[in-house]
Amino acid sequence: MGNNQEKIDSYLRHEFNEDEEEGFEKSIKFDRNLNTDFELTKLISKSLSKRAFLSKQMSRWEAELEQKESTNFFSRHFKKIIIVGTGLAASIIIGFLIIAPFYNSDMTESKEKYAYRLPYFDSTDYLANDYRIYTSQIDSLINIVEYDKALSMICLIEKDFETFKPYANIEFVEAGLEGSEISGNTNYQNDAYVLRWRKINVLLALGEIDDALNVLNEFKDEDGKFKEKAQKLYKKLMESEDFE
Amino acid sequence: MNSHKFDISDEDVVNAIQKDDELICKYFYIDCRSYFLAKHTSVFTLKSRELEILDLFQESFSLLYCEINSKRIDLRDNHIVRKDRTGEYKPMTASLKTYLLSIAKIKNLELSRNIDVLSINEAIIPSLIDTNEDNNEIYDIVNYCVNFLLPDRCKHILTLFYYERKTLDEILSIRKENNSKDGLKTSKSKCMSKLKANILSELQRNNIAICYGK
């Protein structure tokens, strides 16, 4: 087979001269083994070629993929940059809005633009569960620096608490639940007090100093958890040159 | 390109490969590539580099392509069938992509054991019993032996010699594994002899006689 194979290879690779080629072609007509080897070699060559061709095709497809990916690189990363950038910007803005009120100086000297650092408001200050939906919203509005809206809502809820007869309490009384009535009233009194502290601070943040002082004037003498803070604030406000 | 979603069924793929429809073959390749890269951890027993994964994928794809092209995987009444060891066409239960993964698993095992020939496995290697002395049937067996039974080093040498038409000196400069021209010549000769022996054995096993010439 070895010798035959060399002849076959030389013929297939066109390494024979004309005479040798003619001689080989005659041989395969009569030599059955040579003919079989020759045909098998042609089929092997065909199979190898097909395999190699597929391999080249795959390389081409890979190259196309790579080219397509590099073309898409900028647009793909541009999208990422936009998404990340927008996210960062949003985070910075939200962070600023949350932190800003606490980073303002306690008070500035400008009367027109009175900057006031709002203290931290703890939502556990509120006790009336049936009003928690409003009170928690008030704190949320303060946190996102929506002082106007917070003030409006405080004024709205305040009216309910002033009478100490909110709707929920009336229902309790009508139902004969006197204990709940007492407990309800205590909670409303507490929340009315807490809301007034919020109101003072929001008014100051809005630059409504006179209105804030009016409320604070009474509030500082009331017993409650904010009494000390209220007195300090009142003193500070009164010492300020702007108010002399 | 991965974002292209072509609704190509396995049946379409079989048809396309057998008719050399490059466009569908290309999209099938890309689809398989994405699938393979996503699933490669189940294929690899050891953590391998991306290039090796791609090599394994291409080798496996080439074997799958060969099976379809040689009609070992074929269509019968628009259903995909595959020749089993008894030579009968049986419906394929797995999808072509899943089948590709099983080829890759065996190929990877072969590589990790440093065995040069793909182990004959019932899951992959069908037998051939067609007695029709049609040249295409013989080619199918040749194709099968080249792709499945021929060691990789032999594939490389023979491809360089028969397809690339390189001389032995040129092959020697490409293949650093071969130290001398004589050694390379012997290797090439042994590869060819072994391949022919495998082909003749497969033909004999399937009762196919070769009757060329007068």
Side-chain angles (χ1 to χ4, degrees), chain B residues 44-62:
Chain B
F44 272 65
T45 49
L46 295 169
K47 199 174 172 74
S48 304
R49 287 191 296 271
E50 198 177 327
L51 203 65
E52 288 169 349
I53 297 168
L54 200 61
D55 278 351
L56 179 69
F57 163 67
Q58 290 193 337
E59 181 60 30
S60 309
F61 186 84
S62 180

Side-chain angles (χ1 to χ4, degrees), chain B residues 18-59:
Chain B
Q18 288 176 352
K19 288 173 185 167
D20 287 327
D21 182 335
E22 197 195 323
L23 189 68
I24 293 180
C25 290
K26 185 167 104 177
Y27 285 111
F28 178 59
Y29 173 86
I30 292 163
D31 195 21
C32 287
R33 187 182 186 275
S34 310
Y35 181 78
F36 190 88
L37 292 178
K39 297 267 181 186
H40 81 271
T41 45
S42 71
V43 171
F44 272 65
T45 49
L46 295 169
K47 199 174 172 74
S48 304
R49 287 191 296 271
E50 198 177 327
L51 203 65
E52 288 169 349
I53 297 168
L54 200 61
D55 278 351
L56 179 69
F57 163 67
Q58 290 193 337
E59 181 60 30

Side-chain angles (χ1 to χ4, degrees), chain A:
Chain A
M1 193 180 276
N3 198 25
N4 273 352
Q5 194 59 49
E6 279 183 30
K7 285 182 193 170
I8 293 163
D9 290 345
S10 298
Y11 177 79
L12 288 174
R13 290 161 66 91
H14 305 288
E15 289 167 356
F16 280 153
N17 60 36
E18 222 170 280
D19 290 341
E20 287 169 327
E21 211 172 275
E22 209 173 301
F24 179 82
E25 282 166 3
K26 274 183 188 169
S27 301
I28 55 172
K29 284 180 183 170
F30 302 105
D31 187 336
R32 193 169 164 164
N33 286 339
L34 179 65
N35 190 310
T36 302
D37 276 347
F38 176 64
E39 293 299 333
L40 276 183
T41 304
K42 281 202 293 184
L43 290 176
I44 290 166
S45 180
K46 182 183 165 185
S47 175
L48 287 166
S49 301
K50 194 140 192 167
R51 189 186 153 79
F53 179 73
L54 176 65
S55 176
K56 285 191 174 174
Q57 259 187 334
M58 288 192 289
S59 301
R60 203 176 69 239
W61 295 337
E62 284 294 329
E64 282 177 29
L65 272 173
E66 204 173 319
Q67 197 181 5
K68 192 109 180 173
E69 294 212 340
S70 65
T71 313
N72 290 340
F73 181 83
F74 180 73
S75 57
R76 202 172 61 243
H77 285 261
F78 182 72
K79 277 180 196 166
K80 276 185 189 171
I81 289 164
I82 293 292
I83 292 164
V84 171
T86 312
L88 276 173
S91 306
I92 289 165
I93 291 166
I94 290 166
F96 175 75
L97 294 178
I98 292 168
I99 294 164
F102 301 101
Y103 275 80
N104 286 335
S105 62
D106 227 15
M107 284 178 205
T108 67
E109 302 306 315
S110 162
K111 201 169 181 178
E112 282 141 8
K113 196 75 183 173
Y114 189 87
Y116 171 70
R117 188 177 68 178
L118 270 78
Y120 171 70
F121 295 135
D122 188 349
S123 61
T124 57
D125 290 342
Y126 300 108
L127 296 177
N129 285 331
D130 48 339
Y131 271 76
R132 197 170 288 280
I133 188 169
Y134 304 109
T135 50
S136 63
Q137 198 175 344
I138 287 165
D139 282 3
S140 300
L141 288 167
I142 293 169
N143 283 338
I144 58 167
V145 204
E146 291 281 3
Y147 299 133
D148 286 322
K149 287 179 186 172
L151 185 62
S152 303
M153 193 165 263
I154 289 168
C155 294
L156 196 74
I157 306 303
E158 204 173 42
K159 285 175 188 170
D160 278 358
F161 290 153
E162 275 170 9
T163 59
F164 296 125
K165 286 181 183 175
Y167 307 119
N169 193 39
I170 291 164
E171 284 168 15
F172 282 134
V173 174
E174 282 174 353
L177 302 170
E178 291 182 10
S180 297
E181 184 191 356
I182 295 161
S183 152
N185 273 339
T186 313
N187 290 345
Y188 299 135
Q189 280 173 351
N190 170 77
D191 285 9
Y193 176 78
V194 172
L195 275 182
R196 266 190 291 157
W197 178 237
R198 303 285 201 265
K199 188 179 182 180
I200 293 161
N201 283 280
V202 169
L203 284 168
L204 285 173
L206 286 167
E208 304 289 344
I209 301 141
D210 292 339
D211 290 344
L213 270 172
N214 282 339
V215 183
L216 189 59
N217 197 26
E218 282 183 24
F219 187 82
K220 69 177 173 34
D221 299 324
E222 282 182 35
D223 288 334
K225 66 187 285 190
F226 302 117
K227 188 176 181 179
E228 197 182 333
K229 286 181 182 175
Q231 285 176 345
K232 276 186 185 172
L233 179 62
Y234 183 78
K235 195 179 169 190
K236 208 167 189 176
L237 283 169
M238 294 311 286
E239 283 171 358
S240 171
E241 284 180 6
D242 289 324
F243 298 95
E244 285 174 356

